[in-house]
Amino acid sequence: MTIAFQGIGVAASQSVAIGPAFVTGHGIHTATQTLIDADQVGDELDRLNTAVAQARRALKAVRSQIPPSTPRNIAEFIDTHLLMLDDVALIDEVRKIIRDQLFSADWALQLQRDTLVSVFDAMDDPYLRNRRDDVEHVVDQIMSFLHGAPTQLEATGRDLEGCVVVARDLMPADAITLRNRGAAAFVTEFGGPVSHTAILARSLSVPAVVGVHNITRYIRSGEPLVVDGDTGTVLANADAQSLAYYRQRLGAIEARRRHLRTLVDRPAITRDGVTINLLANLDLPEDAQAARFNGAVGVGLYRTEFLYMNRNDLPDEAEHLATYLTIVHALDGLPLTIRTLDLGVDKRSEALGDPGASCCNPALGLRGIRLCLKEPMLFRPQLRAILRAGALGPVRAMLPMVTNLQEVASVLAIIAELKEELTHEGLAFDPALQVGAMVEVPAAALAARALAKRVDFLSIGTNDLIQYTLAIDRLDDSVNYLFDPIHPAILRLVRMTIEAGRALATPVAMCGEMAGDPRFTRLLLGLGLRRFSMQPGALLGIKEIILDADTRELERRATALFAGLDEAEPAQLLDALNAA
Ligand code: PEP
Ligand code: MG
């Protein structure tokens, strides 16, 4: 019998896996309401403390097994869980419930978990909402020790080589354990595409599908499973035909990856001799390795927001500088574009609270450059660090969410002041630091010529440009279907920005997701885009298209597409442009 499940697909670099299921009950520990006598409080607190200590030891053991090649953020996930074991809001509250309400440690833990989970559930921000997973994972770990048994995943000595692990939920620590033990993929009932575990699966290149409701009830260990991390499909007991299809896809994915690797050292030059700059987007300093591994000629967007997340304080100038220099060093002479802080809406800092919370629509509120200009004490240390990093490598600053020229002028004035300050202090900096603006709001695109006169470069952030132009919140699932990079309005704004840059000899890049999507590469080349910045894993696929492109031909085709834009469906026009 063939049972097909549809879940949320989580893209991972190796997107398909076939292997026997290993079903684990991980993530199911629950407690029943149990009252204790007043004289049992001490024992119950001891039980809790012992379980917390065991959970801490178990997490530390996993942390020590992380191979040195693993990205640092993975260890940071474990550190987050270790910190939570000491968190006042979690463990101290549980102790209080035991003492005040005379509940068993298990029940007190479950009560406090439910309280915290409901707080996270009420949050609008999907990133923060997913932090509820961390609470659940840590509580589950403690609960398993309270129940006297380590988690099933750790208890088994079974070799997971080639297995597809199926679990209700997995802790980030499990993702590492799984990979170390050779698991081919994992499937969970819970979790969303931006949960820590899903992020880790992508970083670890383990195919994964999350959010497959009730799958642990339907699958038995040993059953053959197919996991398609591209479409979010999990097939159990697939028939011979489906298996043959997926085996062929797996083979094709591997062959393609091998082929793309052969392109890594080839310069991205089109058939008619035009050099294209293929740059990488970095979320974390560690991503610089992946950028180089995939042949990036520089970094077109380093999102510094991640420096501010998962902590209760703000990074100071020294920390900014040290982080930037780590990347400069890793890039070994390749240029680094540091985007200044773009907090607000989806990217937040615990230390700053929620700057946009007081207004109705934070996406239109105090975010990006607006927040930085309002809070100079936040902005100045970052700018000083960028200027100082510029003395030691090719570094540029890029401003997010620019809507008017005054914002650019204000930043340039602050930079001029900081240069004087640094000179006075005798600190080295780049006196000719290049400053660019992101084009992410329609106003910036419409005023691109004026902007292009005042900055050293522009970079089109299509993720936000699409959100603001089409009036769709990029975090709101219910309007995601309207997200359309080839809406005529978007195409016109992109063209307008590229042309403004061309007219004023101001380089224009694109660093939104559209730049790394192979469907749009030929169109963007036809519009005159020569700088593409994208997640490192997308670089070689885009390079392959570039190597086979002829910009003169594509410019003709793009002109034809625009001529037909009011008459035909953009998708059909795009197909025609992409046709051989
Ligand atoms: C964009 O908006 O396209 C962009 C690259 O910035 P972010 O995704 O960080 O908002
Ligand atoms: Mg943006």
Side-chain angles (χ1 to χ4, degrees), residues 339 342 347 367 400 438 440 461 463-464 474:
R339 194 215 7 226
D342 185 23
K347 306 175 208 97
R367 60 166 293 199
M438 288 190 75
E440 316 193 79
N463 308 341
D464 278 316
R474 77 193 240 203

Side-chain angles (χ1 to χ4, degrees), residues 444-467:
L446 292 164
R449 271 179 174 255
L451 214 48
K453 278 191 187 153
R454 287 155 177 89
V455 292
D456 297 305
F457 62 94
L458 295 174
S459 187
I460 308 173
T462 47
N463 308 341
D464 278 316
L465 186 63
I466 296 170
Q467 139 164 286

Side-chain angles (χ1 to χ4, degrees), residues 53 148 288 325 331 383:
L325 290 183
L331 290 176
L383 286 177

Side-chain angles (χ1 to χ4, degrees), residues 216-290:
T216 55
R217 282 207 240 150
Y218 296 111
I219 304 292
R220 282 189 302 276
S221 284
E223 277 182 333
L225 284 191
V226 175
V227 179
D228 183 344
D230 274 338
T231 61
T233 306
V234 181
L235 286 178
N237 298 311
D239 56 30
Q241 206 182 354
S242 308
L243 266 182
Y245 164 77
Y246 277 106
R247 288 221 171 88
Q248 191 204 7
R249 252 192 73 194
L250 201 52
I253 289 169
E254 267 150 24
R256 180 155 168 73
R257 188 173 308 132
R258 280 195 300 275
H259 162 68
L260 287 178
R261 295 262 9 117
T262 66
L263 305 180
V264 75
D265 293 324
R266 275 186 67 183
I269 301 177
T270 63
R271 281 199 280 125
D272 56 325
V274 178
T275 298
I276 308 298
N277 267 270
L278 284 182
L279 306 156
N281 292 351
L282 311 187
D283 288 339
L284 297 163
E286 295 76 28
D287 298 341
Q289 307 296 348

Side-chain angles (χ1 to χ4, degrees), residues 158-352:
R158 171 183 163 159
D159 187 357
L160 297 179
E161 196 65 48
C163 286
V164 174
V165 174
V166 178
R168 291 197 57 190
D169 202 1
L170 289 170
M171 300 206 297
D174 292 332
I176 293 160
T177 309
L178 291 180
R179 197 198 50 175
N180 288 349
R181 293 173 60 187
F186 66 78
V187 181
T188 61
E189 295 192 352
F190 297 108
V194 289
S195 63
H196 272 157
T197 311
I199 294 169
L200 279 170
R202 285 194 285 271
S203 297
L204 295 166
S205 298
V206 177
V209 176
V210 297
V212 190
H213 297 279
N214 294 325
I215 191 165
T216 55
R217 282 207 240 150
Y218 296 111
I219 304 292
R220 282 189 302 276
S221 284
E223 277 182 333
L225 284 191
V226 175
V227 179
D228 183 344
D230 274 338
T231 61
T233 306
V234 181
L235 286 178
N237 298 311
D239 56 30
Q241 206 182 354
S242 308
L243 266 182
Y245 164 77
Y246 277 106
R247 288 221 171 88
Q248 191 204 7
R249 252 192 73 194
L250 201 52
I253 289 169
E254 267 150 24
R256 180 155 168 73
R257 188 173 308 132
R258 280 195 300 275
H259 162 68
L260 287 178
R261 295 262 9 117
T262 66
L263 305 180
V264 75
D265 293 324
R266 275 186 67 183
I269 301 177
T270 63
R271 281 199 280 125
D272 56 325
V274 178
T275 298
I276 308 298
N277 267 270
L278 284 182
L279 306 156
N281 292 351
L282 311 187
D283 288 339
L284 297 163
E286 295 76 28
D287 298 341
Q289 307 296 348
R292 291 194 61 190
F293 182 68
N294 288 291
V297 297
V299 169
L301 164 67
Y302 166 45
R303 293 182 166 101
T304 55
E305 300 73 68
F306 289 87
L307 259 174
Y308 293 76
M309 291 181 183
N310 288 332
R311 56 191 290 173
N312 295 316
D313 58 349
L314 293 171
D316 60 9
E317 180 180 327
E319 186 177 343
H320 276 291
L321 183 59
T323 309
Y324 303 158
L325 290 183
T326 309
I327 306 175
V328 166
H329 186 67
L331 290 176
D332 198 18
L334 300 177
L336 167 64
T337 310
I338 301 175
R339 194 215 7 226
T340 59
L341 185 57
D342 185 23
L343 283 177
V345 199
D346 54 338
K347 306 175 208 97
R348 293 183 189 168
S349 151
E350 287 77 1
L352 287 175

